[in-house]
């Protein structure tokens, strides 16, 4: 028995509010059953290659079909992509925005011995800095949504050397936030966030300029492990394949979510949905006597990951524990941030009615704890 029992009418229909793995819709699971005949079959044969092709063309449609851009993919999730990008895309000097865990991890990957020491623009967690035009920088990198703090950065180029690339970590924003693909060269992500699939895969929308860089680096004498070679990934992706075996269920779940978003109005629809849900959370936090928005500048507040600070008198972890006992899951803060706060995903699949119930459930628990 939970110590505090939240009444039925305050319980979300789906209690999953985590930032990844995240809510998987029932229709995705139905698609998994409907496509059960694909599971356990070779990824080198037509049926799975057709599935990968649908994912690639569905993503291009979702991302506004930028001319010449391609979707490449490989195993290992976004974390593997950081190292792949360091080995296969980066040259010379990088500039990185760092205001949380994920941005910091990519900045570290760019400290590889064959690269120049990067310019790191570090900002306080809960806020962010801006990319700055810098002569000699060959790649500008930043997280579109810093998932550890709930801070959003617009996808926009700055004045740069003509051969500079822009790399956007869109792991937790892709599929939930609209953007202009022409404003970046590499828009990479993993399927376990807005796409409601499973982890372990990375995907990237790459511009013609980024493809040219992949070819350029591959032609140098730099040692590149095969697993981290984006040239190998590019060649395989053009055959609707991956270097090594992908998880097939992940592909089915992902494809279903892409089709769902596209058929509902695409990225503009998803963007409006996540904006409305997050706006509800932020307005609630501003009203609540015990809560406040961690991200103080409204322009920096993420529409897909809401971080809510609690007053000292209320222990967020205790609230989270009671919520968990009642089936409301994974609203704990990012483990390394160490704040007295809750972190709530408002990904595309998460319905605003469930967000309304969640906030009412938190109010209920805080009054009784
Ligand atoms: C989740 C996340 C990652 C890590 O993704 P993995 O697929 O687990 O490697 C990287 N960047 C951001 C912004 C994330 O939210």
């Amino acid at each position: 028995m939970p110590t505090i029992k939240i009444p039925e009418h305050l319980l979300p229909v789906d209690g999953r509010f985590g930032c990844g793995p995240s809510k998987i819709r029932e229709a995705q699971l139905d698609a998994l059953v409907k496509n059960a005949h694909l599971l356990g079959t070779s990824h080198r044969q037509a049926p799975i290659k057709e599935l990968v092709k649908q994912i690639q063309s569905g993503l291009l449609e979702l991302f506004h079909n930028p001319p010449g851009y391609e979707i490449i993919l490989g195993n290992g999730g976004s974390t593997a992509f950081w190292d792949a990008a360091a080995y296969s895309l980066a040259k010379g000097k990088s500039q990185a925005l760092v205001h949380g865990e994920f941005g910091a991890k990519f900045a570290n990957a760019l400290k590889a011995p064959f690269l120049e020491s990067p310019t790191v623009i570090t900002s306080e967690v809960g806020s962010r800095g801006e990319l700055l035009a810098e002569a000699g920088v060959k790649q500008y990198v930043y997280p579109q949504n810093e998932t550890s703090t709930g801070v959003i950065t617009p996808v926009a180029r700055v004045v740069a050397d003509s051969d500079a690339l822009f790399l956007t970590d869109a792991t937790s924003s892709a599929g939930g936030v609209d953007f202009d693909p022409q404003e970046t060269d590499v828009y990479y992500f993993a399927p376990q966030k807005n796409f409601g699939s499973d982890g372990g895969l990375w995907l990237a929308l790459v511009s013609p300029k980024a493809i040219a860089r992949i070819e350029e680096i591959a032609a140098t004498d730099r040692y590149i492990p095969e697993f981290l070679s984006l040239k190998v990934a590019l060649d395989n992706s053009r055959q609707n394949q991956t270097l090594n075996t992908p998880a097939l269920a992940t592909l089915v779940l992902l494809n279903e979510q892409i089709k769902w978003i596209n058929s509902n109005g695409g990225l503009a629809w998803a963007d409006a949905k996540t904006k409305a849900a997050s706006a509800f959370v932020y307005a609630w936090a501003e009203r609540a006597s015990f809560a406040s928005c961690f991200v103080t500048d409204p322009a920096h507040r993420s529409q897909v990951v809401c971080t809510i600070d609690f007053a000292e008198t209320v222990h967020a972890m205790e609230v989270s524990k009671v919520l968990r006992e009642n089936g409301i899951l994974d609203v704990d803060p990012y483990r390394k941030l160490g704040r007295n706060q809750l972190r709530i995903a408002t990904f595309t699949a998460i319905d605003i009615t469930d967000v309304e119930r969640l906030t009412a459930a938190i109010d209920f628990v805080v009054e009784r704890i």
Side-chain angles (χ1 to χ4, degrees):
M1 267 297 277
T3 38
I4 298 172
K5 189 165 167 28
I6 300 171
E8 201 64 33
H9 71 281
L10 299 183
L11 288 176
V13 174
D14 195 303
R16 289 172 290 184
F17 294 95
C19 291
S22 65
K23 176 182 169 185
I24 299 180
R25 292 174 310 109
E26 248 169 66
Q28 289 173 279
L29 297 171
D30 292 345
L32 200 55
V33 172
K34 225 179 78 205
N35 289 288
H37 60 283
L38 294 179
L39 306 180
T41 73
S42 170
H43 59 297
R44 309 273 178 222
Q45 296 300 322
I48 301 299
K49 288 173 64 165
E50 177 55 35
L51 174 62
V52 171
K53 196 173 163 184
Q54 274 186 35
I55 289 170
Q56 290 170 306
S57 60
L59 284 172
L60 285 173
E61 180 189 338
L62 182 66
F63 298 149
H64 310 297
N65 278 314
Y69 281 60
E70 297 181 35
I71 298 290
I72 63 173
L73 66 162
N75 282 311
S78 291
T79 300
F81 189 82
W82 289 326
D83 288 329
Y87 271 94
S88 306
L89 261 174
K91 65 175 184 183
K93 195 173 183 60
S94 313
Q95 185 184 106
L97 287 190
V98 174
H99 42 268
E101 282 294 316
F102 294 106
K105 286 183 182 181
F106 196 14
N108 273 334
L110 292 168
K111 289 175 184 159
F114 44 85
L115 300 172
E116 285 172 39
S117 170
T119 300
V120 177
I121 299 175
T122 309
S123 313
E124 283 296 308
V125 288
S127 69
R128 64 169 169 79
E130 311 275 352
L131 294 176
L132 297 169
E134 181 181 351
V137 164
K138 299 302 177 199
Q139 48 279 324
Y140 291 85
V141 315
Y142 62 96
Q144 183 182 16
N145 185 63
E146 177 45 76
T147 319
S148 64
T149 61
V151 167
I152 196 115
T153 300
V155 175
R157 298 179 189 272
V158 294
V159 178
D161 289 8
S162 61
D163 62 344
L165 297 179
F166 288 79
L167 278 67
T168 308
D169 179 354
T171 309
S172 58
S173 44
V177 181
D178 208 352
F179 72 106
D180 176 356
Q182 307 279 359
E183 290 290 332
T184 188
D185 296 295
V186 182
Y187 189 80
Y188 66 92
F189 53 96
Q192 73 274 22
K193 310 215 175 176
N194 282 286
F195 290 107
S197 182
D198 259 327
L201 190 74
W202 60 259
L203 301 108
L205 172 75
V206 288
S207 72
K209 219 164 119 181
I211 294 169
R213 177 78 77 81
I214 290 170
E215 307 273 7
E216 175 195 326
I217 303 287
T220 66
D221 58 7
R222 182 190 294 175
Y223 168 71
I224 302 176
E226 193 182 29
F227 191 67
L228 301 178
S229 166
L230 293 179
K231 170 71 175 139
V232 169
L234 177 69
D235 293 345
N236 273 285
S237 301
R238 284 175 172 169
Q239 307 288 322
N240 316 114
Q241 294 185 51
T242 44
L243 167 66
N244 63 326
T245 320
L248 303 186
T250 301
L251 296 173
V252 174
L253 295 171
L254 168 61
N255 190 40
E256 190 60 26
Q257 187 79 335
I258 296 166
K259 287 197 291 189
W260 177 65
I261 300 174
N262 277 335
S263 68
N264 273 298
L267 219 38
W269 170 79
D271 185 88
K273 196 170 186 286
T274 60
K275 269 196 184 124
S278 57
F280 186 89
V281 174
Y282 292 129
W284 160 78
E286 280 176 340
R287 272 195 323 270
S289 58
F290 59 86
S292 59
C293 301
F294 170 50
V295 180
T296 47
D297 182 346
H300 292 174
R301 278 177 205 159
S302 166
Q303 68 197 72
V304 280
V305 173
C306 308
T307 44
I308 306 302
D309 272 348
F310 276 20
E312 274 174 37
T313 47
V314 183
H315 294 288
M317 288 309 280
E318 274 177 44
V319 175
S320 168
K321 184 168 166 274
V322 174
L323 293 173
R324 185 172 288 281
E325 287 168 349
N326 283 271
I328 300 174
L329 308 176
D330 302 335
V331 294
D332 321 75
Y334 187 77
R335 60 204 146 89
K336 287 188 198 151
L337 194 59
R339 290 186 73 90
N340 185 32
Q341 72 172 210
L342 294 184
R343 183 176 63 151
I344 300 164
T346 49
F347 290 152
T348 307
I350 294 171
D351 291 321
I352 190 164
T353 47
D354 273 355
V355 170
E356 290 166 5
R357 284 175 174 220
L358 167 67
T359 56
I362 296 172
D363 288 338
F364 181 89
V365 172
V366 168
E367 274 170 30
R368 284 158 185 84
I369 211 159

